[in-house]
Amino acid sequence: MNKGRIVRVVLAVIIMTCMIPFNAKAQIRCHYTAADSITIEKLLKSKHTDVLYYARQFLGKPYVAHTLELFPDDERLVLNTRELDCTTYVDVVAALTICARKKETTFKLFVSQLHKQRYWDGKCKDYTSRIHYFSDWIRDNTRLGMAKEIQSPNPPFTAVQTVSVGYMTTHPDQYVSLKRHPEYLPVIAKQEKDLSGRKFRYIPTAEVNNTKAMRSAVHDGDIIGIVTTAQGLDIAHLGIAVWHNDGLYMIDASSKHKKVLEETINMQQYLQQRKNAVGIRIIRLK
């Protein structure tokens, strides 16, 4: 076999777009690599059920944006455990944790779980069926019984966010699928309209401190959503909560540091340094 053919065979093995059956009538089209499937099954076979265990398994992985946008004309589930942004990092960690807690240890079941989390009603039809705003991710995954948003007690949940989203439809040039398929815009606009006006309690920056009330309200492994005042957006960044002796910190896929890391400054300091950040919303996995 010549060298060129060997390379092609190796690439075909490493890079896969597979049809993964999850019931008798449907299939999940999932794009992943052999390394991704090996990583997922190895982690699930560890039998850990703690969010922080899975969150820390990706420390040092490079931050890469737009890894889900590989198929702008033919939407499918993309799984990439080698390169992560803040959303895909939290999504993968959540799916691992939920599978582990249900004692599901196969790659196929993990893919099914990730698919349920990422798409409206667990159905991947086209780009508009993917959940794009994290407030909608919270709503849909709460409806499915996989997560719940913590909004009490008050304090520290002393502030209310009235969501007003519209960034995607006002900046379609920033989304390859919307540039290529303007017919998707009315559907996205309807989703934005449905989400806008909804109210959620959050912890404002001034309350994100090292107190008994905060430690009681926010647990290790909770998902942190950073509330933003940036026009058209609801949540600016995501991470996983972890308490240190001196306060609350976050594990996240950081665009600033270009990798997944456990932040070296506490959550209040992080918020104070971030433009338009006004506090945090808290989501707990079931």
Side-chain angles (χ1 to χ4, degrees), residues 34-76:
D36 295 318
S37 61
I38 290 168
T39 294
I40 294 301
E41 291 215 331
K42 180 180 178 181
L43 289 174
L44 288 175
K45 287 176 181 177
S46 72
K47 298 184 179 180
H48 284 275
T49 58
D50 179 48
V51 183
L52 287 182
Y53 171 80
Y54 294 110
R56 286 175 168 146
Q57 299 310 301
F58 298 95
L59 290 173
K61 294 289 185 181
Y63 174 94
V64 178
H66 311 302
T67 59
L68 303 185
E69 313 309 322
L70 299 180
F71 305 97
D73 303 312
D74 186 25
E75 178 75 14
R76 64 194 65 184

Side-chain angles (χ1 to χ4, degrees), residues 84-148:
L84 299 155
D85 62 24
C86 72
T87 302
T88 58
Y89 169 64
V90 165
D91 217 15
V92 168
V93 169
L96 282 165
T97 304
I98 293 168
C99 281
R101 290 176 178 177
K102 294 191 295 185
K103 302 186 185 307
E104 296 177 349
T105 59
T106 67
F107 181 66
K108 183 175 77 171
L109 289 173
F110 171 85
V111 168
S112 179
Q113 175 60 39
L114 188 65
H115 189 264
K116 291 175 189 174
Q117 290 174 201
R118 192 174 290 172
Y119 292 94
W120 288 107
D121 298 317
K123 297 175 182 177
C124 174
K125 300 174 183 177
D126 59 30
Y127 181 74
T128 66
S129 62
R130 194 197 310 169
I131 300 173
H132 297 287
Y133 291 98
F134 198 69
S135 291
D136 275 335
W137 188 98
I138 299 168
R139 289 171 58 209
D140 202 53
N141 281 273
T142 297
R143 181 183 64 81
L144 294 172
M146 297 187 292
K148 65 175 181 178

